[in-house]
């Protein structure tokens, strides 16, 4: 934490220095921008003055040219009005003269045509009367000469009408029969064409169906091969999955057995309160919760977040691990104490036992501050030591 605090302080100093440099660069940039804006404003003012002068010159030139054009337009308008008035007067005079000439010529032609009409009517009236009398006489002679022939003609005409009606009826019947034969031939030809077309379509459909059948057979064989391969793969995968599940089941059974064993070894306090309270302060807990709520940036943090549901398990697991470590340390301490006690017990037993081996070594019962009150070697009668 001290290292991190020092790094944070150095980063904060670097950040303050960078902010100062940024502020200096920003002030310099703003000063340059202000100078550039002032320069652009002065250039814009000069351009506006030049534009105003050119605009005023163009306006004066336009006004002078406009006055000249208006004067020329007025002169040409007056000239055209005079020309139109003169042309109108000349057209009116010519029109009046032409109208008078036309009316005089029309009257002359009308009088001449009336005179010719009266003369022709009188001449044609006599000729028409003579021709009518001649026509009546010829007609009377023709009627008297052709009276018998007319009677025979009437009889023949009636007979001819009767024969023509019969011929017409027979012709209609024949025409109907011909139409019926033609329609029958057309239907037969159409049926033949339809039969050929249907036969051709049937052949094409047969070939198409044969092709589709071949494709379906090939697809079926491919699908069978693929299904066989998929079945083999599925069998292998299912075997692997069954083996993995068997391993998982064995592990779960072992975990359950261990959990039952641990449950029997739990104390009453652990059975009532299985999870120990957190040792973090309230602020530290809030910081830890905020860190957990932030989106992880590393794969390990993401994996830890995915297994957040096992927090209680890891809590108990860590508690057991800590207790195991504590018991190991306590076992080591007790082992050392046991070894010390064994050494002391060995020394005590050696002190209370009397043997040549014990007497040849230092005896704690006989040594007081490395000085014995009893002589180590006593003379015996046999020349030995007691």
């Amino acid at each position: 934490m001290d290292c991190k605090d020092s790094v944070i302080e150095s980063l904060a100093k670097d950040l303050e220095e960078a902010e100062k440099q940024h502020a200096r660069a920003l002030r310099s940039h703003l000063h340059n921008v202000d100078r550039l804006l002032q320069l652009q404003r002065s250039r814009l003012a000069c351009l506006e003055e030049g534009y105003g002068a050119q605009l005023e010159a163009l306006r004066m030139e336009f006004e002078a040219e406009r006055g000249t054009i208006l004067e020329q337009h007025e002169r040409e308008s007056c000239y055209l009005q005079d020309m139109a008035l003169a042309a109108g007067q000349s057209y009116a005079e010519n029109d009046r003269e032409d109208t008078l000439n036309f009316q005089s010529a029309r009257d002359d032609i009308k009088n001449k045509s009336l005179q010719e009409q009266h003369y022709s009517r009188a001449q044609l009236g006599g000729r028409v009367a003579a021709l009518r009398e001649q026509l009546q006489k010829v007609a009377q002679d023709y009627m008297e000469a052709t009276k018998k022939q007319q009677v025979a003609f009437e009889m023949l005409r009636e007979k001819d009408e009767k024969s023509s009606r019969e011929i017409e009826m027979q012709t209609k019947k024949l025409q109907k029969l011909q139409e019926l034969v033609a329609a029958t031939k057309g239907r037969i030809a159409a049926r033949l064409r339809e039969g050929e077309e249907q036969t051709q379509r049937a052949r094409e459909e047969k070939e198409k169906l044969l092709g589709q059948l071949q494709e379906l057979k090939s697809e079926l064989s491919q699908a069978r091969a693929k299904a066989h391969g998929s079945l083999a793969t599925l069998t292998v995968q299912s075997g692997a999955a069954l083996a993995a599940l068997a391993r998982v089941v064995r592990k779960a059974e072992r975990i359950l057995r261990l959990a039952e064993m641990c449950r029997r070894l739990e104390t009453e306090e652990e059975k009532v309160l299985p999870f120990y309270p957190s040792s973090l302060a309230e602020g530290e807990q809030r910081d830890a919760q905020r860190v957990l709520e932030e989106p992880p940036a590393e794969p390990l943090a993401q994996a830890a977040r995915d297994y957040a549901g096992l927090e209680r398990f890891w809590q108990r697991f860590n508690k057991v691990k800590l207790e195991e470590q504590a018991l190991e340390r306590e076992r080591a301490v007790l082992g050392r104490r046991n070894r010390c006690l064994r050494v002391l017990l060995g020394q005590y037993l050696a002190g209370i036992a009397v043997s040549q081996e014990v007497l040849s070594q230092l005896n704690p019962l006989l040594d007081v501050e490395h000085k014995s009150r009893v002589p180590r070697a006593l003379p015996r009668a046999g020349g030995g030591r007691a």
Side-chain angles (χ1 to χ4, degrees):
M1 292 297 293
D2 294 337
C3 180
K4 289 184 179 180
D5 290 338
S6 62
V7 171
I8 291 170
E9 289 177 359
S10 63
L11 291 174
K13 290 180 180 179
D14 294 339
L15 182 61
E16 290 177 359
E17 185 66 25
E19 288 179 353
K20 290 179 181 180
Q21 293 179 1
H22 176 69
R24 287 196 296 272
L26 182 62
R27 286 195 296 272
S28 175
H29 175 67
L30 293 176
H31 179 66
N32 293 330
V33 169
D34 292 336
R35 290 181 61 189
L36 182 60
L37 288 174
Q38 186 177 2
L39 180 61
Q40 292 295 330
R41 289 193 187 95
S42 61
R43 288 182 61 189
L44 184 61
C46 294
L47 291 173
E48 286 179 353
E49 290 177 359
Y51 173 74
Q54 292 180 4
L55 183 63
E56 186 66 27
L58 288 172
R59 186 182 291 110
M60 294 176 64
E61 184 179 356
F62 172 74
E63 291 294 336
E65 187 175 356
R66 182 172 178 273
T68 306
I69 292 171
L70 289 175
E71 291 177 358
Q72 185 177 359
H73 174 67
E74 290 178 357
R75 288 196 300 270
E76 290 179 355
S77 298
C78 294
Y79 176 73
L80 290 174
Q81 288 177 1
D82 295 336
M83 290 292 294
L85 182 60
Q89 292 176 358
S90 175
Y91 174 74
E93 291 178 358
N94 293 329
D95 187 24
R96 188 166 50 255
E97 290 178 359
D98 292 337
T99 303
L100 292 175
N101 294 329
F102 172 72
Q103 289 177 357
S104 62
R106 186 183 61 180
D107 293 338
D108 294 338
I109 293 169
K110 189 175 182 180
N111 293 328
K112 189 183 292 186
S113 63
L114 286 173
Q115 290 176 3
E116 291 178 356
Q117 185 178 4
H118 287 305
Y119 177 73
S120 299
R121 185 179 294 173
Q123 187 177 2
L124 291 172
R127 293 181 61 184
V128 168
L131 289 172
R132 185 180 290 113
E133 290 178 358
Q134 187 179 358
L135 180 61
Q136 288 177 357
K137 185 178 180 181
V138 170
Q140 188 176 1
D141 294 338
Y142 176 76
M143 290 296 290
E144 289 177 357
T146 59
K147 188 174 183 180
K148 293 179 180 181
Q149 295 177 359
Q150 189 175 2
V151 173
F153 174 75
E154 290 294 335
M155 292 174 65
L156 290 173
R157 188 175 65 180
E158 292 177 359
K159 187 176 181 181
D160 183 58
E161 289 178 357
K162 186 177 180 181
S163 300
S164 62
R165 284 196 297 271
E166 291 179 357
I167 292 169
E168 187 176 358
M169 290 175 63
Q170 295 296 330
T171 305
K172 288 181 179 179
K173 289 181 180 180
L174 183 61
Q175 187 175 2
K176 287 182 180 179
L177 291 173
Q178 289 177 354
E179 291 177 355
L180 182 60
V181 170
T184 306
K185 289 182 179 179
R187 286 198 297 272
I188 291 170
R191 292 296 175 84
L192 289 174
R193 287 194 299 271
E194 290 178 359
E196 291 177 357
E197 291 176 357
Q198 289 178 1
T199 306
Q200 185 67 24
R201 286 197 297 270
R203 289 200 189 100
E204 292 177 356
E205 289 178 358
K206 181 181 178 181
E207 293 176 357
K208 186 176 180 180
L209 290 173
L210 287 174
Q212 291 179 358
L213 181 62
Q214 294 296 329
E215 291 178 359
L216 289 174
K217 284 183 179 179
S218 62
E219 290 178 0
L220 182 60
S221 62
Q222 292 177 2
R224 285 178 180 174
K226 187 176 181 180
H228 184 70
S230 300
L231 183 60
T233 306
L234 182 62
T235 304
V236 174
Q237 291 178 356
S238 62
L242 288 173
L245 288 175
R247 289 195 298 272
V248 172
V249 169
R250 288 196 297 271
K251 185 181 288 186
E253 291 176 353
R254 184 170 178 272
I255 290 171
L256 290 175
R257 287 196 300 272
L258 292 174
E260 291 176 359
M261 294 173 63
C262 293
R263 184 68 178 174
R264 287 195 299 268
L265 296 174
E266 285 180 354
T267 61
E268 295 295 332
E269 183 181 358
E270 290 177 347
K271 291 180 179 179
V272 175
L273 297 174
F275 302 105
Y276 59 88
S278 177
S279 60
L280 299 176
E282 186 177 359
E284 293 176 347
Q285 290 182 0
R286 285 197 301 269
D287 295 338
Q289 186 66 26
R290 187 175 63 255
V291 170
L292 290 174
E293 291 177 355
E294 292 178 356
E298 297 181 357
L300 183 60
Q302 180 66 36
R305 188 171 183 178
D306 294 337
Y307 291 98
L310 298 175
E311 184 178 359
R312 292 291 188 180
F313 169 77
W314 291 118
Q315 187 176 3
R316 297 194 67 178
F317 182 79
N318 294 332
K319 180 182 178 183
V320 171
K321 281 292 182 182
L322 291 173
E323 289 179 355
E324 183 181 0
Q325 294 293 328
L327 291 174
E328 289 290 337
R329 291 186 179 182
E330 187 176 358
R331 182 179 179 181
V333 171
L334 291 175
R336 288 195 298 272
R337 290 183 62 185
N338 191 13
R339 285 194 296 273
C340 292
L341 289 174
R342 284 180 182 277
V343 171
L344 293 176
L345 181 61
Q347 292 178 359
Y348 174 74
L349 292 175
I352 63 175
V354 178
S355 63
Q356 189 66 30
E357 183 180 0
V358 172
L359 292 176
S360 63
Q361 296 177 359
L362 293 176
N363 195 335
L365 297 178
L366 301 178
D367 292 339
V368 177
E369 292 181 0
H370 301 286
K371 294 180 180 180
S372 178
R373 296 182 181 182
V374 180
R376 291 183 178 277
L378 294 177
R380 286 186 181 183
R385 294 180 180 182

